Amino acid sequence: MMGSGTNYMRMFKYGTNKYELIKCPDGTCTETFTAGYGGVYVTSELGPTVLQGQSRQFLGSGLYFLPSSICRNRPTFRPCHEGERFLNATSCLPQGQTPPHCATYLSRVEFAPTWNYGYSVGVVNSIIKVDKLDNGDTEKYWYGLNRGLLRWEHYNAQGQLVNWGQQTGEIPNSPIPHNTCLQP
């Protein structure tokens, strides 16, 4: 997936408040989320293409990914987690753990009314979540009103687009097989 886009991105609800984002067409790279009190939390990033052969599960509630409410006059927040457990992406065996951590840089949310995605999605009222990672890379996530995640982009520290994906009209909550470690 690196260096080019994908239109295989799929969201799947697998519990009352649990979601899985399948990023690879063969189901080998996924992220899981929990919508909880106060926000949305990433609970895992799984698959061999995720972190150079490692997968990770976030401990506790997970990585604080997006507040449950965002005010225009206060659009920034600090992503934090209670530690992460690394797993071998092939065997799913533990390979170490890190302590709790908060991001060096604040994340922000931009309001994008009437954002034009083009293709079959068209114009949707949206927000754009922008994360500057500790290594200087930037990730952007586009969420459409009543549509969920519609696009994401990853830029290196030099500002060059290195990866992206978009939702293109898959059937919502239609299960497809995944080939990763067990979701938390």
Side-chain angles (χ1 to χ4, degrees):
M1 279 189 24
M2 288 303 292
S4 62
T6 176
N7 60 1
Y8 299 109
M9 186 173 76
R10 303 272 310 268
M11 278 300 273
F12 175 66
K13 184 174 182 178
Y14 70 96
T16 305
N17 63 342
K18 295 181 179 287
Y19 301 88
E20 180 178 32
L21 172 62
I22 302 170
K23 290 177 135 179
C24 298
D26 62 0
T28 59
C29 53
T30 68
E31 293 178 14
T32 56
F33 300 84
T34 299
Y37 178 74
V40 175
Y41 299 84
V42 178
T43 53
S44 70
E45 293 180 308
L46 305 170
T49 60
V50 176
L51 301 164
Q52 293 79 40
Q54 286 187 319
S55 293
R56 65 179 165 182
Q57 295 174 330
F58 291 97
L59 305 176
S61 300
L63 170 65
Y64 183 51
F65 188 70
L66 192 63
S68 58
S69 62
I70 303 154
C71 300
R72 287 185 186 273
N73 62 348
R74 193 171 178 176
T76 61
F77 65 98
R78 188 170 306 279
C80 294
H81 62 75
E82 297 172 42
E84 52 193 340
R85 178 182 307 121
F86 289 96
L87 308 169
N88 178 290
T90 306
S91 69
C92 297
L93 294 173
Q95 290 188 314
Q97 191 167 314
T98 65
H101 176 74
C102 287
T104 302
Y105 305 100
L106 291 175
S107 291
R108 74 178 186 277
V109 175
E110 300 172 355
F111 293 87
T114 64
W115 185 269
N116 189 353
Y117 291 90
Y119 59 100
S120 63
V121 173
V123 177
V124 179
N125 289 338
S126 300
I127 61 170
I128 304 167
K129 177 181 178 273
V130 180
D131 297 322
K132 183 172 181 182
L133 308 179
D134 288 353
N135 68 0
D137 286 7
T138 300
E139 292 180 342
K140 295 182 179 182
Y141 302 86
W142 280 258
Y143 294 92
L145 181 64
N146 298 320
R147 297 291 297 274
L149 180 64
L150 293 172
R151 183 174 177 83
W152 65 273
E153 295 177 349
H154 182 157
Y155 295 85
N156 64 20
Q158 293 73 41
Q160 299 164 316
L161 180 65
V162 294
N163 202 355
W164 64 279
Q166 64 187 14
Q167 181 62 273
T168 59
E170 300 284 0
I171 300 168
N173 295 321
S174 170
I176 64 174
H178 59 81
N179 186 19
T180 63
C181 302
L182 184 64
Q183 297 100 321

